[in-house]
Amino acid sequence: MRCPFCRGEDSRVVDSREVEEGQAIRRRRSCSGCGRRFTTIEELVLSVVKRSGVTEPFSREKVVRGVRRACQGRPVEDDDLQQLAHQVEEAVRSTGTAELPSHEVGLAILGPLRELDEVAYLRFASVYQAFSSVEDFEKGIADLRAARSGDAAGAGE
């Protein structure tokens, strides 16, 4: 790590701490050349590999934009969308991989979106899963009903 003061290339780590709920590491360093101390923040860059093969950094904002379209006209607040994006990011980071296919991000969106708003979930799923017929929608609705009745049965236990 290059010292920001003397541009020396030799420094040692004095202290390390996790920050941002473990998503980054804060390191306190001491320069061997000039003796001054400085701080660095190291973050894991999460990359998404698109179907075309292009890799881009994961973006919560992109998740929010995609879900916002599905929620248009629905009683969903912006705070709800931010919380959903946070849940999605936590889910994809918990896989422990630095690169994941865009398909995995879509799957990570479906669960929290179903809990947030079922109509928005169907809208998103219809695009994400490329519904091509009325039967696809009927199956999606049947799956929602089954999940809802499964949740109700689990609540009574």
Side-chain angles (χ1 to χ4, degrees):
M1 175 59 56
R2 191 177 297 270
C3 173
F5 305 108
C6 73
R7 309 299 291 159
E9 292 188 27
D10 190 29
S11 66
R12 67 182 181 85
V13 176
V14 177
D15 182 45
S16 292
R17 296 181 187 187
E18 285 188 3
V19 292
E20 298 177 23
E21 300 175 5
Q23 301 303 316
I25 298 174
R26 177 186 168 274
R27 297 198 194 279
R28 192 75 179 135
R29 296 178 176 271
S30 176
C31 176
S32 301
C34 67
R36 294 180 74 178
R37 290 186 173 195
F38 57 98
T39 301
T40 59
I41 304 286
E42 298 174 18
E43 284 186 306
L44 171 68
V45 176
L46 184 61
S47 298
V48 178
V49 181
K50 301 178 91 171
R51 276 183 249 150
S52 65
V54 174
T55 301
E56 63 182 42
F58 174 84
S59 167
R60 276 192 194 182
E61 264 317 298
K62 196 165 182 181
V63 170
V64 169
R65 278 195 312 270
V67 174
R68 182 175 283 130
R69 282 192 296 266
C71 293
Q72 208 165 12
R74 302 295 303 154
V76 175
E77 301 292 323
D78 197 52
D79 285 347
D80 298 328
L81 296 178
Q82 294 298 330
Q83 180 62 32
L84 182 139
H86 178 73
Q87 288 175 303
V88 170
E89 183 174 8
E90 282 185 345
V92 296
R93 283 193 185 278
S94 72
T95 64
T97 59
E99 284 189 356
L100 69 154
S102 58
H103 177 75
E104 296 292 324
V105 176
L107 288 174
I109 291 170
L110 288 173
L113 184 55
R114 187 181 80 198
E115 297 298 316
L116 180 63
D117 187 276
E118 291 177 338
V119 172
Y121 165 82
L122 273 176
R123 288 175 178 171
F124 187 86
S126 72
V127 172
Y128 175 71
Q129 296 173 337
F131 286 10
S132 60
S133 66
V134 172
E135 289 78 19
D136 291 339
F137 278 96
E138 288 172 341
K139 183 181 179 326
I141 292 169
D143 290 347
L144 274 174
R145 286 186 175 138
R148 197 186 298 152
S149 66
D151 292 344
E157 293 177 9

